[in-house]
Amino acid sequence: MGVVATPLLLSTISMPVQAEVAVEKPNVVLIFVDDLGWGDPGFLGATDLRTPNMDKIAANGVNFTQGYVTSSICGPSRAGLLTGVYQQRLGSAENIPEDHYPTKEGNRAGIPLSQPMLQEILKEQGYRTGAIGKWHVGLAEEKRPNNRGFDYFYGFLNGSHSYYKSGFEFGDNHEYWPIFRNTEMVEFEGYTTEVFSQEAVNFIETSKDDQPFFLYVAYNAVHYPWEVPQPYIDKMDHIEEENRRKFGGMVLALDEGIGQIVDSLEEQGKLENTAIFVISDNGSPRPNPKALERDSNLSNTGGLRGYKGTNYEGGIRVPYIMSWPNVVPANITYDLPVSTLDVAKTVTTYLGIENPPKGHEFDGVDLVPFVNGERNGERPHDTMYWRRADDYAIRIGDWKLAYNTYEQTGEAELFNLSSDMYERSDLSARYPEKKEELQAKFDEWDHSLPQSLAKPELPTNRNHNFGK
């Protein structure tokens, strides 16, 4: 998988540091895929699914083997990514209720207008900005893409969507809600993965040579419903299990779309000046033997415990790769924990922007000096937090404390991920003082959080005695 980016090995890599790189503003392509498990892509070791284009991006850049999202579910994860701020600090730790058809007044939850988002910051720097695919961070008119810094939007506003159907006649069936082009609902025909890929290519091709762009491509692939054209499934005929074969077809369609985006960058002569990120929004959906058609998609956690919706590693550790020619090394495997909070900080630091012009300061770090050897021996994050409803987790170094209501143990569990990345051994009884230390640190952070905008009924300043 390339060079292991330990501090010792990184010290042997000769790379130009940021100050030596031309000051030309880079293009940024941020690809956020949906529900791709840590064990699904080839660059993380999968041998049955085919992801040659994602693998090539990893080979041309950095594969973060401990890449984390800020939430184990879709909406909050996107809020953390696009702001670079823990979404809990914004009251955005829950999915937005989809209780109104999008032609009506939308639920007003979502990222507060007082908090700048990455595209808004880049737009102020002269960037052309485009969003393709799934939005899911604001239904109300003022929180939709074109009112949050995007020059162009093509996609849907809510969380789950059919790959084939969309229109005006489906009412409150969320999976068929309309596709928008900017602020107008439009007729849809095709397969969303393919259509979103073509929209992304069109955006690149219509960008001016003298204006940098930020392109956010948020595929709904490979989220439920499990739908894919038969030719993709046929290419997975080496997989015997039917659901895994179908899932593999969905992944292949996604990967080919990503390849089209990279090819377009190269054809337009823009690839050498483009930072590319490809990240999943959370881990694998939970297989449910009582509802096989919906949930038994056979996405693979790579052996990690837990699934989407939990704060075990299988819910929050995700595929995470970055390629940035002449800025970060190629063919690097970086093994220390990083976060989606780091995307905004990495891009804006390169542009000389320390923090957002208003709102909360970034919680992420600039990843460039960590992967090119300038900060050998340092961890990007000493402490990481997760919170959704009553589920929570904290990681300090390699120690992790996690409480997951799905397990219904009544106790938070303590793990050391350096020796137990699969979270098989609860060390609470052996290290009670360490558990108390992590719990106290988490409570201090948690008690500073505001009320949830999406679910105001959730209490603040929660008492965590149940987890001790």
Side-chain angles (χ1 to χ4, degrees), residues 85-247:
V85 173
Y86 277 112
Q87 67 277 359
Q88 296 91 343
R89 299 173 68 197
L90 309 174
S92 301
E94 315 294 332
N95 277 335
I96 299 169
E98 297 174 5
D99 49 4
H100 294 289
Y101 192 61
T103 54
K104 303 176 183 177
E105 179 60 31
N107 185 290
R108 309 200 80 80
I111 299 173
L113 302 180
S114 59
Q115 183 64 45
M117 300 171 73
L118 178 57
Q119 69 274 7
E120 294 172 308
I121 298 171
L122 295 181
K123 190 173 175 65
E124 289 292 322
Q125 296 293 311
Y127 276 70
R128 180 189 181 211
T129 55
I132 310 296
K134 176 175 173 176
W135 180 236
H136 209 204
V137 290
L139 285 175
E141 191 69 38
E142 69 273 13
K143 294 183 177 180
R144 296 182 182 185
N146 294 101
N147 288 322
R148 292 307 313 255
F150 280 111
D151 297 314
Y152 181 76
F153 170 58
Y154 181 90
F156 59 93
L157 299 173
N158 58 308
S160 178
H161 202 283
S162 165
Y163 290 79
Y164 292 109
K165 296 180 181 179
S166 180
F168 317 105
E169 70 274 18
F170 297 108
D172 287 331
N173 189 327
H174 302 157
E175 291 177 2
Y176 303 141
W177 270 11
I179 297 289
F180 285 79
R181 189 181 302 280
N182 294 317
T183 60
E184 301 295 324
M185 292 184 290
V186 295
E187 298 290 345
F188 176 81
E189 182 176 347
Y191 181 64
T192 58
T193 303
E194 295 177 334
V195 173
F196 292 159
S197 298
Q198 186 58 54
E199 284 285 333
V201 168
N202 292 345
F203 181 88
I204 294 168
E205 291 179 346
T206 56
S207 294
K208 300 177 181 178
D209 291 336
D210 61 350
Q211 182 182 23
F213 63 79
F214 170 55
L215 176 59
Y216 172 54
V217 187
Y219 287 100
N220 57 321
V222 288
H223 193 288
Y224 173 85
W226 322 124
E227 298 173 338
V228 61
Q230 189 62 41
Y232 293 107
I233 300 175
D234 293 341
K235 293 178 182 179
M236 294 289 107
D237 60 5
H238 60 284
I239 300 176
E240 293 184 4
E241 210 290 321
E242 181 180 359
N243 286 331
R244 179 68 169 173
R245 186 163 61 250
K246 177 180 284 189
F247 182 79

